[in-house]
Structures are given as C-alpha cells and as structure tokens.
Amino acid sequence: MAAKEHSFDITAEIDKQKFKDAYEQAKKVITNRWDFKGITCEFEHNEKAKTVTLVTTTDSKADAMVEALISEAIKREISSKALKETKREVAGGNKTKVTVSIVDAISSDDAKKIVKEIKDLKLKVQASIRGDVVRVEGKAIDDLQEAIKAIRGCDFDFPVNFTNLK
C-alpha cells in the first residue's frame, strides 16, 4: 500500500457569523457608553465591499469605536489582523469618518511569502498557491504539523487560518 498524501490549506478566511456578532456587540457597547450619549456614532457594515464605516465627532471617539470592534472580534477568535483601518477622513459637519476593511483573503504577494517560509523550513512538504489559498501537502503528518507551527509563529500582517487537514 502506497503512503498516503496528507494536506491542509492556509487561508485568511474569517467566520462571517462570528464577525457579525462582534460587529453588533461593538455597536451595543459604544451606544451604551456614557461618553457617546447624545453624539453622532454611526456603524455601517457593507458585506459586499468587506468594510465597516464608522462616523463620529472626534478622532478619539473614532479610535474608541475601532478599538471596540477589534476587541469584540478578538473575543470571538477573529484575528485583529483581519481588521485594517484603511481610511480616515473629515466628513461633513466636523465629523470623522473611518473605513475599516475586513481582510479575509490572502493576496498573491502574501501567498508567496507563506510559500517561501515553508520552503525555508526544509521539511518534506510542498506548498502551492491556489487562488487565495495556500495548499500544503506532504506524506508525514508530523511535517505538516511542524509547518503549521512555523507559520503560526510568523508575524505576517494578515490573518492565517488552517483548514481541511486531511
């Protein structure tokens, strides 16, 4: 009987339901805070664009809103790296508008970084890029687990999740 190939995928995908829960909870936390009473604090989640737009009166209030969103995401095991502030601008009427992007895909450049890290480990595994997923294959499960451990230890600026371990 031939040795069976084992594999797993590295993705940046997040649990969308957990994110919705984090978003709703962050909204509740902020709207119930005494320092936000009577002032503008708007949250808008655009699933298609993968963004959350926050509007409030000052930069410090905007920071508090972003922190609440990240904090609630972390509580639900969503990496803080999945949320990136991409834009901060002055909106009409002395308001601050912040756009937070939801990172749930690995770019081709980031996928190349992962493949390079795995090759540098000199394990008996192969890493290949398949769209926004990196597939890692090998005969020994121990080698795959070693690769997972090493990738977890890397300080990438994007989230990494491990799925489909076979």
Side-chain angles (χ1 to χ4, degrees), residues 9 31-32 36 45 58 69 114-115 154:
D9 295 335
T31 52
N32 289 331
F36 278 87
H45 177 206
T58 64
L69 185 62
I114 292 172
V115 170
C154 291

Side-chain angles (χ1 to χ4, degrees), residues 32-69:
N32 289 331
R33 275 178 47 169
W34 64 270
D35 56 333
F36 278 87
K37 294 284 182 233
I39 66 164
T40 302
C41 73
E42 300 166 12
F43 284 78
E44 185 193 328
H45 177 206
N46 182 331
E47 274 187 73
K48 270 199 169 80
K50 295 181 183 178
T51 60
V52 175
T53 306
L54 310 168
V55 178
T56 189
T57 53
T58 64
D59 267 346
S60 62
K61 296 278 189 241
D63 290 343
M65 291 170 77
V66 171
E67 283 171 29
L69 185 62

Side-chain angles (χ1 to χ4, degrees), residues 11-16 47 49-50 81-83 101-107 132-133 158-159 161:
T11 70
E13 205 171 317
I14 62 168
D15 183 318
K16 286 173 183 47
E47 274 187 73
K50 295 181 183 178
K81 293 175 182 179
L83 301 170
S101 294
I102 301 163
V103 179
D104 72 346
I106 296 175
S107 72
D132 61 357
V133 171
F158 53 90
N161 295 309

Side-chain angles (χ1 to χ4, degrees), residues 116-160:
K116 182 188 179 318
E117 284 292 335
I118 291 171
K119 281 189 173 143
D120 290 350
L121 294 172
K122 307 243 185 284
L123 295 170
K124 291 181 180 173
V125 296
Q126 289 78 44
S128 57
I129 300 170
R130 299 181 180 196
D132 61 357
V133 171
V134 176
R135 165 77 43 96
V136 181
E137 297 173 307
K139 285 186 170 57
I141 285 202
D142 289 350
D143 286 344
L144 294 180
Q145 287 172 335
E146 195 62 37
I148 289 173
K149 196 171 144 193
I151 294 302
R152 272 207 178 104
C154 291
D155 190 25
F156 295 121
D157 61 351
F158 53 90
V160 289

